């Protein structure tokens, strides 16, 4: 079976300040996103950004959130469902977010459980950048390499 892994950037689990803080901490801890010495990145993140940004960002997320949840996650899942229907038998489709949930690791596990031995990774980013697709590709490769049976990617 062939797996299709749709990869997107990610979203907080909810619009609560705590969930937004966790999401921003994961996202902004990535050295491909904030390209600073690890100590400088840690200090900037924990002494400045995570003290002020989560509350403001949570308010912005509340403005776009829907009854179904995060628009990014909703549209990504809808795309996955449409792709699975269009591809039919012989394909398994899963969604993995680089940051947040559902994680890339969970998506790889889902595809493995459904019998995928080869996986096509499709980034849903509008362009290539090291901070987006570069980080996601690195994460996919790292997580796939840790599996007992490494799928063809």
């Amino acid at each position: 079976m062939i797996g299709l892994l749709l990869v997107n950037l990610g979203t907080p689990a909810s619009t609560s300040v705590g969930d937004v803080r966790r999401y921003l901490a994961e996202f902004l801890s990535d050295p491909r996103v904030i390209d600073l010495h690890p100590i400088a990145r840690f200090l900037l993140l924990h002494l400045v950004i995570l003290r002020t940004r989560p509350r403001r960002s949570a308010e912005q997320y509340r403005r776009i959130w829907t009854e179904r949840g995060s628009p990014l996650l909703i549209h990504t899942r809808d795309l996955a469902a449409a792709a699975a229907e269009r591809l039919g038998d012989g394909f398994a489709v899963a969604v993995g977010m680089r940051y947040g949930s559902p994680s890339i690791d969970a998506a790889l596990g889902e595809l493995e459980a459904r019998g995928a031995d080869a996986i096509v990774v499709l980034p849903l980013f509008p362009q290539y950048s090291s901070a987006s697709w570069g980080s996601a590709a690195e994460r996919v490769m790292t997580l796939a390499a840790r599996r007992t049976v490494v799928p063809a990617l």
Side-chain angles (χ1 to χ4, degrees):
M1 173 165 303
I2 298 172
L4 174 61
L5 173 57
L6 301 179
V7 177
N8 219 327
L9 188 63
T11 183
S14 78
T15 60
S16 77
V17 173
D19 282 345
V20 172
R21 180 177 284 113
R22 277 185 288 284
Y23 170 74
L24 289 174
E26 182 182 3
F27 174 48
L28 299 174
S29 292
D30 187 335
R32 287 179 177 262
V33 174
I34 297 181
D35 185 16
L36 292 174
H37 185 278
I39 294 172
R41 183 176 48 254
F42 178 87
L43 293 174
L44 174 64
L45 185 58
H46 292 278
L47 296 179
V48 179
I49 297 171
L50 292 179
R51 290 177 182 247
T52 60
R53 181 91 179 259
R55 188 167 308 287
R56 290 193 321 245
S57 292
E59 184 58 39
Q60 296 297 316
Y61 277 112
R62 280 186 208 102
R63 291 181 180 167
I64 63 167
W65 218 257
T66 72
E67 287 183 17
R68 288 178 60 201
S70 162
L72 183 70
L73 183 55
I74 290 166
H75 295 306
T76 303
R77 284 186 169 151
D78 288 350
L79 177 63
E85 184 177 326
R86 181 78 182 234
L87 291 169
D89 295 338
F91 289 87
V93 181
V95 170
M97 296 291 181
R98 173 57 185 95
Y99 312 101
S101 181
S103 69
I104 291 172
D105 196 34
L108 288 171
E110 178 185 339
L111 293 173
E112 180 180 29
R114 293 176 64 195
D117 51 9
I119 298 173
V120 175
V121 182
L122 179 62
L124 300 179
F125 304 108
Q127 76 286 328
Y128 174 83
S129 78
S130 179
S132 60
W133 176 235
S135 177
E138 178 181 43
R139 186 76 177 147
V140 167
M141 295 299 210
T142 298
L143 293 170
R146 291 180 185 164
R147 304 198 97 65
T148 304
V149 177
V150 179
L153 296 174

